[in-house]
Amino acid sequence: MLLDKEIVRLVGMNEKALMLLSEPDRVIHFRLRRHLPAEYGVGFPVQVYVVYHSAAKGPPCKGGIRMASDVTLEETIQLAETMTYKSALMNLPFGGGKAAIVADSQLPPEAKEVLVRGFAHEIRYELVSGNYVPAPDLGTSPREMAVIFGETHIRESVTGKPVGIGGLPGREEATGYGVAVVAERAARKFLGREISDVSVGVQGFGNVGSWACTFLAERGAKILAVTDRGGGTMRREGIDMEELKKYEKEHGSVDGYSGKHLSNQELLGLDVDLLIPAAIGGVITKENAGNIKAKLIIEGANAPVTREADEILAQKGVTLVPDILANAGGVVASYDEWRKGKSGTRTKREETYATIKETLLDVFEEVLKYSSKEKISLRKASLALAATRLLDTMEGRGWV
Ligand code: NAD
């Protein structure tokens, strides 16, 4: 559970509300009986989880579909819980959900399509009723969201779709854009420097990592090192993003771009000003937190830093901007896409950027104030604000 005793006390959370938030509202588990050709190496049957952590602010419950061979039910529940607090923190009328398809994130699109079509078929009622509105997450992309739309024929049943079928211009890069906007603001506040004077290390070069790098580089930040699941690369004078993107497309990884290999552990301990873990969860732990040299961490991924590591980092004077604030650009844009799916209105890319920037920076200021008033970390302040909004909503609904 993300809320600890201190937050519960600060928020004045009552027992009923706490009980509702301490377990998921609903867990759906099923198995996909799809036979894929042996060369894809997909086991049979494929396990699938759909979790609604809390529908206090929904329905819908909102959260991405993760496709990964090591994703578990426990992790899916934690990710859905993260979505409950993220949406609440951003003042969105969404509950927190998440889905997981236990299969390799690197499968080719045609294999993913078979699995996602099966997924949409099995939970059709949840999708067409608006109980669950998915989006891309690790291992899924707009293409898989298009498959879901192809099954439901309802535009607001899924976000993160390609623009041509009602997707929102700017949604694809929304999370990375938000990470960059927050990084710029946090660098000024906590490092006392403009982002153009900041060196950066990024773990993950998928949707979130690559777009965060792009928008940071655009703002003049020096991207010193990048890794993905294959390893990584480093260049003292800074990495050219267009070149790196081209290299990654050709080689399937950023590993070795500069002629040198950099491991993921080396990246985390690199002497940079700002570190952005934007790949998987649980990468900064009590074992390696002591090696971190960056003074600022922005959580691009969900839950990349464990609670034990949080404490070690705080003792070292490292500031951490938590996932539910830093990577919320995606769900903020998804809200717009969902709304506009219903009304049929269109948006320009610049409007999406402006909405993300305004929403994230307003909440950032609120979190800063709360954290300095209560003398607590940005993570605790973000969770406490989100929990306050959830409590208000549950009281308003007469639930608690
Ligand atoms: P993605 O599948 O597009 O990219 C994942 C990246 O992580 C790839 O570069 C991959 O090589 C790398 N990676 C995978 N395993 C790794 C490992 N063991 N070590 C190092 N790198 C590894 O996924 P994404 O959509 O960019 O999501 C990344 C993270 O951001 C996830 O934690 C996700 O939950 C979170 N997130 C995503 C969004 C979104 O809009 N896509 C929104 C909020 C949060």
Side-chain angles (χ1 to χ4, degrees):
M1 175 151 160
L2 286 172
L3 302 185
D4 64 15
K5 281 186 186 149
E6 192 179 8
I7 300 173
V8 168
R9 183 185 52 76
L10 278 171
V11 173
M13 185 68 77
N14 65 46
E15 220 167 281
K16 274 189 187 163
L18 200 56
M19 204 193 301
L20 285 179
L21 291 171
S22 64
E23 276 182 31
D25 279 352
R26 190 159 179 210
V27 174
I28 304 169
H29 169 212
F30 56 91
R31 301 179 304 169
L32 286 178
R33 298 169 296 275
R34 293 292 186 284
H35 286 283
L36 282 165
E39 72 257 29
Y40 294 128
V42 176
F44 177 87
V46 172
Q47 306 292 333
V48 179
Y49 309 113
V50 182
V51 176
Y52 306 156
H53 170 261
S54 166
K57 283 181 147 288
C61 285
K62 191 84 188 77
I65 304 175
R66 177 164 293 201
M67 191 179 291
S69 44
D70 57 357
V71 61
T72 60
L73 173 59
E74 195 194 354
E75 191 180 5
T76 314
I77 292 172
Q78 283 164 4
L79 289 163
E81 185 183 11
T82 301
M83 285 307 299
T84 296
Y85 293 99
K86 195 183 298 180
S87 293
L89 183 63
M90 295 296 136
N91 289 306
L92 302 175
F94 284 156
K98 201 83 185 184
I101 301 176
V102 188
D104 188 359
S105 61
Q106 301 294 100
L107 283 174
E110 67 274 15
K112 287 187 180 178
E113 178 170 344
V114 172
L115 298 181
V116 172
R117 201 175 292 288
F119 167 89
H121 179 77
E122 291 287 336
I123 60 152
R124 185 175 169 75
Y125 176 74
E126 299 305 307
L127 297 169
V128 300
S129 65
N131 279 342
Y132 175 50
V133 178
D137 188 66
L138 198 125
T140 58
S141 68
R143 183 165 168 165
E144 284 71 48
M145 301 309 113
V147 173
I148 293 181
F149 172 62
E151 289 294 306
T152 64
H153 294 190
I154 301 171
R155 291 196 201 282
E156 70 267 27
S157 67
V158 55
T159 63
K161 301 178 292 293
V163 173
I165 53 168
L168 186 80
R171 169 61 185 92
E172 194 192 335
E173 63 270 36
T175 307
Y177 175 77
V179 167
V181 163
V182 167
E184 187 175 27
R185 177 72 186 84
R188 214 174 281 147
K189 168 80 188 163
F190 300 109
L191 302 175
R193 279 194 264 151
E194 290 305 312
I195 197 74
S196 52
D197 193 23
V198 166
S199 61
V200 190
V202 180
Q203 181 180 53
F205 203 63
N207 176 285
V208 181
S210 69
W211 282 111
C213 283
T214 303
F215 288 110
L216 283 166
E218 242 177 57
R219 286 161 170 69
K222 196 201 240 186
I223 314 290
L224 221 71
V226 180
T227 56
D228 59 23
R229 61 149 48 177
T233 189
M234 178 178 169
R235 192 173 259 180
R236 283 259 158 243
E237 59 279 19
I239 298 170
D240 181 288
M241 275 310 125
E242 286 316 308
E243 271 186 23
L244 185 66
K245 279 186 181 170
K246 232 189 262 162
Y247 179 93
E248 196 265 350
K249 225 179 201 163
E250 277 167 26
H251 297 80
S253 170
V254 296
D255 184 39
Y257 155 78
S258 63
K260 271 180 261 155
H261 166 79
L262 185 78
S263 75
N264 273 284
Q265 281 308 321
E266 285 168 328
L267 172 104
L268 297 175
L270 219 57
D271 191 4
V272 287
D273 303 313
L274 165 62
L275 189 60
I276 305 182
I280 53 168
V283 291
I284 302 181
T285 62
K286 63 178 185 318
E287 277 75 33
N288 63 6
N291 304 334
I292 303 283
K293 296 195 187 65
K295 282 279 162 248
L296 179 61
I297 296 178
I298 310 272
E299 290 189 322
N302 283 313
V305 180
T306 67
R307 293 300 161 269
E308 294 111 321
D310 254 3
E311 284 176 21
I312 300 170
L313 294 170
Q315 279 160 18
K316 281 165 61 89
V318 179
T319 304
L320 183 142
V321 184
D323 46 9
I324 63 168
L325 171 56
N327 70 28
V331 74
V332 168
S334 273
Y335 174 63
D336 255 23
E337 182 174 336
W338 176 75
R339 224 159 41 95
K340 284 168 181 167
K342 287 174 180 288
S343 66
T345 48
R346 289 179 295 177
T347 310
K348 290 196 176 116
R349 192 170 297 268
E350 290 64 32
E351 287 174 50
T352 304
Y353 293 167
T355 304
I356 295 169
K357 189 170 181 177
E358 190 186 342
T359 309
L360 262 55
L361 292 186
D362 281 356
V363 176
F364 189 96
E365 291 308 317
E366 220 185 328
V367 169
L368 279 182
K369 266 195 206 139
Y370 195 100
S371 107
S372 64
K373 180 171 149 258
E374 301 295 345
K375 300 193 174 31
I376 51 175
S377 68
L378 298 179
R379 187 188 306 285
K380 285 197 184 195
S382 302
L383 285 168
L385 277 172
T388 306
R389 310 209 213 290
L390 284 163
L391 180 61
D392 282 353
T393 308
M394 287 192 279
E395 282 173 349
R397 293 183 84 163
W399 288 4
V400 297

